[in-house]
Amino acid sequence: MTAEFMFITFTLFLAGMIAVPLASRFGLGSVLGYLIAGIAIGPVLHWAGVDVAALQHFTEFGVVMMLFLIGLEMQPKVLWAMRAKIFVMGGLQVGLTTVAVMAIAMLFGQAWTIALAIGLIFALSSTAIVTQTLNEKGLMRSDGGQAGFAVLLFQDIAVIPMLALVPLLALKELSDALHQGDDHGGGHGDSALNLNLVEGLPGWQTALITVAAIALVVLAGRYLTGPIFRYIARARLRELFVSTALMMVVGIALLMTMVGLSPALGTFLAGVVMANSEYRHELESDIAPFKGIFLGVFFITVGASIDFALLSENVALIIGLTLGLILLKCVVMLVLGRVFKLAGGDKWLFALGLAQAGEFGFVLVSFTVANAVVPSPIADLLLLVIAISMLLTPALFILYDWLIAPRYSRQQEREADEFAHGSGIIIAGHGRFGGIVNRALRAADYETTVIDYSNDQLKMLRRFGLSAYYGDATRPDLLHAAGIESAKVLVIAIDNKEAATELARHMHEHHPRVHVIARAIDRWHVYDLWSAGCRDIIRETYDSSIRAARSAFEALGHPREKAERLVGAFETFDRKTMIETAQAFIQSEDPHSDDSEYSRLIRENQEAWEAQLKASMQEVLKARQD
């Protein structure tokens, strides 16, 4: 390990450590923090002679890991249900954007081949930035988030025919100049390792090898993952499990690259295949930290790749091209959003989220230059437009958060459904939590009123004959229409923590007689809901954890009744201390500081609480011995 390598690594991690917490503190998100860090250290990296482009290609592996993890979260039936959005919406987006950019480039005097190449490059969006930001903001499961992800997935598929098409667009004069340069460049190319399995093969053989590679990934993921990890588990070495998980991801990415496919697409497919594996959660926990590191450094390299000298010489042109590209892609996305019936804020989330160019654009630009399609001076300008448009993407999400989302939370473009009559039980949100509550109540012959903000979710419910209504349950007028004045129970099961807390506060202030049951995402959310006046708070993983503890006691030889009493003693104590800490939390100005009342309460009572809990548990255990 050289001093230069350690210097580069230290600089990258230091920049991220400083910039990301600051950006997150001001609500800018981690992606913008990494980009700003890259801009800040760009001069340092160039001074140190670092090849930022080569480093960027290496850290693009974070995108590969991210798509593998997304695949693990998606059941094949979910992916099949999205096929129309993936291929129809995605195909229209790529096609319309390519044609529009091509037409504009030709108006500026570019040859049709160069214009088409530019259109293909700019048709792509940033899978890394968009997916990361949607996940951070909890928007991935929204209609706009799902539509955006479907289009991004098609773009990854479209990279394959794009790479096949680009060599056919070569310009003779550029090709001659490129070959002359190769003639004078020495003879080292022949000795380089060539891992391309389809180079020089006829089309039918290339297609056959490609299909075989995909089939190998599917079959290996389905039938070999279990035996491999069961064999590795016998060694009882955590690091071996992690290295095996990384080996699988790298191997799949390598295989896809060798047959000319997108490595990100291949690992996504493998993730989908392994989604039902018993090792899914282990794979996810092992790979997630590496994904985060690679993605963070990738975003830093995007910021560092901005050539400020070239930008200063052509600042008006580059800024104009960047803003023009964002505006053009927004228009295309808005048209598609209307065609595919995306409502209100989801349409704008879809449009603004995918308005930038993407990281695979860097690969395509290099490929077009290497194949004598786009001249180097134009390619340098394209690289700047891609980098700056990616840099502006977090700002577009901030624009959505501050201006568009609040507007549509007050006044939706699609009118909320008319409510037939009040049922006395209102369930806000019908996902994995609210859906189970709804099923249990309906099974006991209670009529419920379900309100959800996802068109796809409501279509699914109505397809199975379940009554559900479209709308934003945080709107007071919608609650009134749903019959909140005569309701007995409101179940808050929406994913957005802030929105859930505000709804609980509204109910406490304006409808205190309605019993509110609220789902809490985590412990901090429990405190927020408690401060909002809600007193029936369900931690979403708490009951399953209690059941797991009970099963553990039974596995240790305790009878079911004794195990129930043990976890009952734990629950009683936990709920008591939760109320005490919640009261201290809401009375502290800054509960996270070391000198807050909340922190002091924890420090002063931690040992006493642990002793009380152990005494309660021992009392139950001794009852068995008497």
Side-chain angles (χ1 to χ4, degrees), residues 420-431:
H421 54 82
S423 65
I425 303 172
I426 300 174
I427 300 177
H430 194 281

Side-chain angles (χ1 to χ4, degrees), residues 481-505:
I484 194 65
E485 281 79 8
S486 58
K488 296 179 180 178
V489 176
L490 169 67
V491 179
I492 302 177
I494 53 183
D495 290 331
N496 188 296
K497 291 199 293 186
E498 290 75 18
T501 303
E502 287 305 311
L503 178 54
R505 180 172 288 109

